Amino acid sequence: MISLDGVMQAPGGPKEDTSGGFKYGGWTASYFDEVFDKVMQQELKPADYLLGRKTFKIWEGYWPKHADIWPGINDGTKYVLSRTVKKSDWKNSVFLTGLAGIKKMKNSEGRDIQVWGSSELIQLLLKNDLVDEINLKFFPLTLGKGKKLFQNGAIPAAFTLIGSTVAPSGVIMANYKRAGKVKTGTVGE
């Protein structure tokens, strides 16, 4: 979930992430509609999850009590990149300490791995060309400040649109698949 100016911080609620003085938590709430909900339900398929420490701590306190909203969330493996958190009572939580652990996990057999939230982790994945697909939901507003999807840049990379939906609320949901290197040329030739 991303604003038009690239902010991805605290889409779910006012207290989700107030770091940096962010005061617009819950900025997505007024845009949910039937079309958006239908797309979200398709994305909530069984998977494993790669999460940053902060997102994991939010999820750990919420999803075990709300599995009816997201069937299978508690059964999927939660891979957590953290140097400080080493264990959890939330079942199927596995802790990774660095990029090598992420690469090993990514190259192993198993279910699809999804990343939700985790702004700092996404920066690491983008810089190291570890993103195969990216599902973006653009919300029709600007927030001015907050944690941004491409805050620290990304490597040059091409993506191909593999699916898109526009909700009546104005949310554009676009799914992209990695498509190699950036191709350049001259327009009109």
Side-chain angles (χ1 to χ4, degrees), residues 50 79 96 99-111 113 125 128-133:
L50 175 59
Y79 295 97
L96 308 172
L99 189 59
I102 293 172
K103 288 179 178 179
K104 181 179 178 183
M105 178 262 311
K106 185 179 184 302
N107 291 324
S108 65
E109 294 292 321
R111 297 196 283 190
I113 300 166
L125 298 174
N128 288 279
D129 199 17
L130 294 172
V131 176
D132 298 325
E133 290 185 24

Side-chain angles (χ1 to χ4, degrees), residues 38-176:
K38 184 177 178 184
V39 170
M40 286 300 296
Q41 290 306 312
Q42 292 170 352
E43 291 183 5
L44 301 181
K45 62 185 178 187
D48 291 335
Y49 310 93
L50 175 59
L51 306 168
R53 176 186 53 82
K54 293 174 191 170
T55 299
F56 176 77
K57 293 308 278 180
I58 293 167
W59 281 33
E60 179 185 42
Y62 184 83
W63 286 114
K65 302 171 195 157
H66 297 90
D68 56 315
I69 299 170
W70 191 345
I73 183 63
N74 292 313
D75 297 325
T77 301
K78 279 72 68 181
Y79 295 97
V80 184
L81 181 63
S82 176
R83 290 183 296 274
T84 57
V85 180
K86 306 287 185 208
K87 65 179 186 165
S88 172
D89 291 334
W90 192 14
K91 70 178 182 176
N92 302 323
S93 297
V94 175
F95 293 87
L96 308 172
T97 57
L99 189 59
I102 293 172
K103 288 179 178 179
K104 181 179 178 183
M105 178 262 311
K106 185 179 184 302
N107 291 324
S108 65
E109 294 292 321
R111 297 196 283 190
D112 286 346
I113 300 166
Q114 298 179 356
V115 178
W116 291 76
S118 306
S119 62
E120 292 178 29
L121 172 60
I122 289 173
Q123 302 299 315
L124 180 68
L125 298 174
L126 288 167
K127 282 183 185 177
N128 288 279
D129 199 17
L130 294 172
V131 176
D132 298 325
E133 290 185 24
I134 189 164
N135 297 329
L136 300 174
K137 290 154 196 68
F138 297 98
F139 285 74
L141 77 163
T142 58
L143 297 169
K145 68 177 216 168
K147 295 176 183 174
K148 297 193 175 188
L149 177 61
F150 298 108
Q151 185 127 348
N152 297 318
I155 65 165
F159 289 83
T160 298
L161 182 68
I162 57 174
S164 64
T165 304
V166 179
S169 63
V171 177
I172 299 170
M173 295 157 276
N175 302 352
Y176 297 93

